[in-house]
């Protein structure tokens, strides 16, 4: 095992960047930029490597986030975070699973760049205020105020109560069974009356460009999947962002990554990512995970 602090904390740095950006590809770029800056530093001058690395990755993520914010203004249709392949074990860490959940990431999108950085560092990683201040370039007192506002903002929009892993699986299994057989009543039974479905095609592939609201509307659309899906399409349970999810593959290639927000025994939100640019990394990692030597 390497004793290089960057290697030791690389997973942490990626998670910080991912939760700030909502994009695994951009998070990887930011981590790489962090490594380049770390490589130029005289290690003898760094008192706390972990804090120093978090400071670098936060600053790089803030720069990237401001650039992305301008691009997203011109994004075609709804923008959703890039799904992250995770193992079932992540669900056992309730706090981590919630912080990387698609539902939470969509809430974090409603924060400004600095607010998001402060919230992620303080609420998710319990970073001391003085270290956050150094990372975002604000005074400690200002950071405390920002943290307070961000905490209230997120609390008002926080996803519905999470359910256990077994219950998630049962609900998703019911949904997938109804989806693949075109069972309209089965879909209505598993969807909450006020359910919402959001799809992200990025203007590259077909996807509904405005959210669909109401179980009846969503079920009517999804009930047509079985008869309209291309030949070679398969739907299987998956694990994205610390929760049970689903993958639609066509001839073995990932076509759609579906995440769910579940409360009780019903689905309240369906988030379907179809933009190929957001599926490339996920498809590659899923293929690697399926290899015999990875088991």
């Amino acid at each position: 095992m390497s004793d290089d602090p960057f290697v030791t904390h690389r997973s942490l740095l990626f998670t910080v960047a991912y939760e700030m950006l909502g994009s695994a590809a951009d998070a990887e770029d930011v981590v790489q930029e962090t490594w380049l800056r770390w490589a130029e530093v005289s290690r003898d001058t760094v008192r706390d490597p972990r804090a120093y690395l978090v400071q670098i990755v936060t600053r790089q993520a803030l720069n990237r986030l401001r650039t992305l914010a301008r691009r997203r203004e011109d994004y075609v249709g709804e923008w959703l975070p890039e799904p992250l392949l995770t193992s079932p074990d992540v669900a056992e860490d309730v706090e981590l699973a919630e912080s990387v959940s698609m539902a939470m990431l969509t809430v974090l999108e409603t924060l400004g760049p600095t607010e998001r950085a402060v919230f992620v560092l303080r609420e998710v990683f319990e970073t001391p205020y003085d270290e956050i201040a150094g990372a975002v370039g604000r005074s400690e007192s200002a950071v405390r105020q920002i943290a307070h506002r961000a905490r209230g903002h997120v609390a008002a929009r926080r996803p519905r109560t999470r359910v256990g892993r077994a219950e998630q699986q049962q609900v998703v299994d019911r949904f997938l069974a109804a989806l693949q057989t075109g069972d309209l009543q089965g879909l209505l039974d598993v969807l909450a009356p006020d359910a919402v479905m959001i799809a992200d095609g990025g203007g590259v592939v077909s996807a509904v460009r405005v959210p669909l609201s109401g179980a009846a509307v969503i079920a009517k659309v999804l009930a047509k999947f079985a008869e309209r899906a291309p030949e070679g399409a398969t739907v299987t349970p998956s694990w994205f962002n610390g929760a049970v999810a689903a993958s639609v593959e066509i001839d073995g290639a990932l076509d759609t990554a579906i995440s769910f927000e579940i409360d009780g025994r019903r689905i309240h939100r369906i988030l379907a990512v179809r933009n190929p640019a957001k599926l490339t990394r996920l498809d590659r990692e899923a293929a690697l995970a399926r290899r015999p030597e990875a088991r």
Side-chain angles (χ1 to χ4, degrees), residues 11-146:
S11 178
L12 166 67
L13 301 177
F14 174 83
T15 307
V16 170
Y18 176 69
E19 293 194 21
M20 285 183 61
L21 299 168
S23 165
D26 286 307
E28 286 286 7
D29 288 345
V30 164
V31 170
Q32 181 61 26
E33 291 166 3
T34 300
W35 159 246
L36 293 175
R37 282 159 177 73
W38 173 247
E40 297 174 350
V41 172
S42 173
R43 310 298 162 82
D44 295 338
T45 64
V46 179
R47 180 178 58 83
D48 185 340
R50 180 184 183 278
Y52 189 84
L53 286 165
V54 168
Q55 183 178 93
I56 296 175
V57 83
T58 300
R59 288 176 177 173
Q60 295 303 313
L62 276 172
N63 292 337
R64 181 66 63 97
L65 189 57
R66 290 173 180 127
T67 300
L68 292 175
R70 290 190 290 271
R71 292 182 193 168
R72 288 173 191 171
E73 292 176 359
D74 300 322
Y75 197 80
V76 178
E78 295 291 316
W79 186 95
L80 289 174
E82 178 184 344
L84 186 68
L85 184 68
T86 55
S87 68
D89 294 341
V90 174
E92 302 302 325
D93 186 334
V94 177
E95 291 186 3
L96 176 61
E98 182 185 23
S99 71
V100 299
S101 72
M102 290 289 281
M104 177 58 80
L105 289 172
T106 58
V107 172
L108 294 181
E109 281 296 313
T110 64
L111 292 171
T114 302
E115 287 180 315
R116 185 167 182 168
V118 170
F119 180 86
V120 168
L121 292 176
R122 182 61 189 174
E123 299 302 312
V124 180
F125 298 103
E126 300 181 339
T127 306
Y129 286 111
D130 60 333
E131 292 182 16
I132 300 175
V136 301
R138 300 291 183 89
S139 68
E140 186 174 334
S141 61
V143 165
R144 289 179 180 275
Q145 293 176 354
I146 293 171

Side-chain angles (χ1 to χ4, degrees), residues 201-253:
V204 180
V205 296
S206 62
V208 291
R209 294 194 177 184
V210 295
L212 298 182
S213 300
V217 173
I218 297 170
K220 185 177 180 180
V221 171
L222 294 180
K224 299 175 183 177
F225 173 83
E227 63 181 59
R228 294 186 177 179
E231 186 176 348
T234 59
V235 185
T236 55
S238 301
W239 279 89
F240 302 145
N241 299 79
V244 182
S247 299
V248 178
E249 295 185 355
I250 298 179
D251 296 327

